[in-house]
Amino acid sequence: SQAGSVPFVYEDLNWLTSVNPIGGLAFPSRVLSMFSLVLTAHLWGFDPWAFHLGNVLLHLLNGWLVWQIGRSLEWDGPSTTLSTALFLWHPINSHAVLYVRARTDLLSTAFVLGAICLSLRTPSHLVRVWWGFSLLVLLLCAMASKEIAIVGFPLLCLTRWLRSGTPSLSHRMIHAIGIGVVLVLAVA
């Protein structure tokens, strides 16, 4: 990949220099994404290489999470490998790696995929409360990275529903309500 040699593109530099870590963040609803960018700027200055490296590392993390989800769903080896390769090397993802502002997409994706990964690992009865709390924290972090991550809630419900085989009526009702709430919020 040539991400390390690519300069800032479009309005990346103007956008980054408008972030004021002392007086507030440009987009307070994306506080985790902004914190990540401010931290990168603080550690390495406004060197495009550092920002692109952070995006590449987040993209690789997301690929690893896709692979973990495939393994948790018990896909055969080639299916998991192929889906991960498609995710990592699909041309549409070059935008997320090369465009510094796309850090919001990468972070929100990492948190949503992390929540799905965690949800596929059913905990023992003793740790179920911490497991549920961790899922909620991951989804809230995803939304603190980018608002569209609200889709993580119905994705999580759908994943659990598909994983459970034949869910009971009460489980289907809970999942339908969760998906319905998100659709209403998306339309509003």
Side-chain angles (χ1 to χ4, degrees):
S1 171
Q2 296 182 12
S5 63
V6 174
F8 287 117
V9 294
Y10 306 116
E11 73 279 356
D12 274 345
L13 186 59
N14 291 336
W15 183 74
L16 284 171
T17 56
S18 72
V19 175
N20 182 354
I22 296 171
L25 300 174
F27 298 101
S29 63
R30 297 180 178 184
V31 69
L32 288 179
S33 296
M34 297 307 298
F35 175 76
S36 169
L37 292 168
V38 167
L39 182 64
T40 302
H42 177 73
L43 294 174
W44 290 284
F46 288 100
D47 182 359
W49 181 87
F51 288 94
H52 293 306
L53 176 64
N55 285 6
V56 168
L57 292 175
L58 281 169
H59 184 60
L60 291 174
L61 170 66
N62 290 337
W64 180 77
L65 289 168
V66 167
W67 184 73
Q68 288 295 322
I69 290 169
R71 287 187 50 209
S72 294
L73 292 173
E74 299 173 0
W75 294 345
D76 61 350
S79 296
T80 299
T81 304
L82 183 62
S83 61
T84 302
L86 182 63
F87 176 83
L88 285 172
W89 288 299
H90 195 279
I92 200 161
N93 287 325
S94 63
H95 162 77
V97 173
L98 297 176
Y99 192 37
V100 172
R101 284 184 72 174
R103 176 83 52 101
T104 58
D105 299 315
L106 293 165
L107 276 174
S108 63
T109 300
F111 286 120
V112 168
L113 291 175
I116 291 171
C117 248
L118 182 62
S119 78
L120 292 172
R121 287 162 174 73
T122 306
S124 69
H125 180 68
L126 297 175
V127 296
R128 193 171 297 267
V129 172
W130 290 107
W131 176 77
F133 179 73
S134 299
L135 288 174
L136 181 62
V137 167
L138 284 168
L139 290 173
L140 290 175
C141 286
M143 289 178 48
S145 300
K146 190 169 185 179
E147 304 79 18
I148 192 67
I150 196 166
V151 302
F153 289 97
L155 281 175
L156 191 64
C157 292
L158 181 63
T159 304
R160 293 289 299 165
W161 182 57
L162 291 172
R163 174 78 169 168
S164 65
T166 309
S168 66
L169 179 60
S170 63
H171 282 102
R172 286 189 297 226
M173 292 294 291
I174 289 170
H175 296 305
I177 290 169
I179 291 169
V181 166
V182 170
L183 290 175
V184 166
L185 289 173
V187 171

